[in-house]
Structure formats: structure tokens, C-alpha cells
Amino acid sequence: LFQPWHHALFSLLLAKAIAKIVLLPFAEVQHCLVPEVEDEEEDFVLAQLRATANLRLSNPFALLLDFLMFHGDSLQIEHHLWPAMSFLRLREASALLREACQELDLPYQEIGYWEAYDKVWKQMK
């Protein structure tokens, strides 16, 4: 029933390492790899659209995992614009915002999961 403490510690560290690897694109690409906006006079919404990116997930399992475990963390643009919005409504907001950005010729940045790893790798070089 009980494991030696070093087995428990190893299991905990392994779980944390795997979680970091899986979550890397969520955190790094959406917050660190998009160029910062220098213009302090720029509108808040436009600044968020330029400096934030969503993680593009097309696999149904990845979408389900994002919904159940990460509460829509792949939708960082919408999260930054409406931080108090329930994650249950983020996909709906995303579709509306994407359409509005296309109509108004505003940036709406999305990046694929593996493309995110590639960007992180290139940045670390």
C-alpha cells in the first residue's frame, strides 16, 4: 500500500516533468514568443490582439483535454480580453472575435501545437 519515500518523490518529479513538456506550448507561445507592442498609446484590445496568440487545436481529444483539464487555456486572446468570462463561453467568443477581426482586418494569431514546439526550440538556440 505505501511506497518508499524515494519512489513517491520520483513519481511526483516525473509527473511534473511530463506536465511541463505537455504544457510548454500553452505558456511559452501564448505569452513569450509573440512580439511585444512598443506603442503605449495603442488601444488595449489591439495591443492584446497583437501580443497574444491562441493555440490551434484540431484533434478532438486535444480539444476535450483542453476543455476538461486546462479550462480553455488554448484561447489566450479571449482570456486576455475578457478575463472574467467563464471558460465555458470562450469557444463561442473565439468564433465571434475571429470573424470580427477578419471583417475589420485586425490581427488574430493562432499557432499549432507542434509549430509552437518548433518556435520554442528556435528561440532557445
Side-chain angles (χ1 to χ4, degrees):
L1 181 62
F2 293 101
Q3 297 289 324
W5 70 268
H6 58 277
H7 286 196
L9 180 62
F10 175 76
S11 296
L12 179 66
L13 293 176
L14 181 63
K16 286 193 79 62
I18 290 171
K20 290 283 187 191
I21 291 169
V22 170
L23 296 176
L24 183 68
F26 284 89
E28 292 301 315
V29 172
Q30 296 168 341
H31 292 105
C32 300
L33 296 180
V34 179
E36 291 293 323
V37 178
E38 297 294 326
D39 185 5
E40 292 184 24
E41 298 291 322
E42 188 170 40
D43 177 67
F44 173 78
V45 172
L46 189 55
Q48 294 306 310
L49 289 171
R50 288 190 200 284
T52 313
N54 284 350
L55 198 57
R56 185 175 49 251
L57 301 173
S58 56
N59 179 311
F61 179 72
L63 288 168
L64 179 65
L65 196 63
D66 179 49
F67 178 79
L68 294 175
M69 292 183 64
F70 309 125
H71 305 300
D73 274 354
S74 64
L75 301 169
Q76 284 297 299
I77 297 171
E78 292 73 17
H79 167 69
H80 284 202
L81 292 175
W82 302 290
M85 180 182 285
S86 167
F87 75 94
L88 299 172
R89 306 297 292 211
L90 287 176
R91 288 247 172 253
E92 184 180 343
S94 174
L96 294 171
L97 183 61
R98 187 182 303 112
E99 186 178 316
C101 286
Q102 191 173 20
E103 284 179 23
L104 300 170
D105 197 31
L106 294 172
Y108 187 87
Q109 303 180 79
E110 293 181 295
I111 186 168
Y113 187 83
W114 298 112
E115 183 184 355
Y117 267 110
D118 184 51
K119 283 191 172 225
V120 169
W121 182 255
K122 287 178 181 171
Q123 185 183 37
M124 289 179 10
K125 285 184 176 183

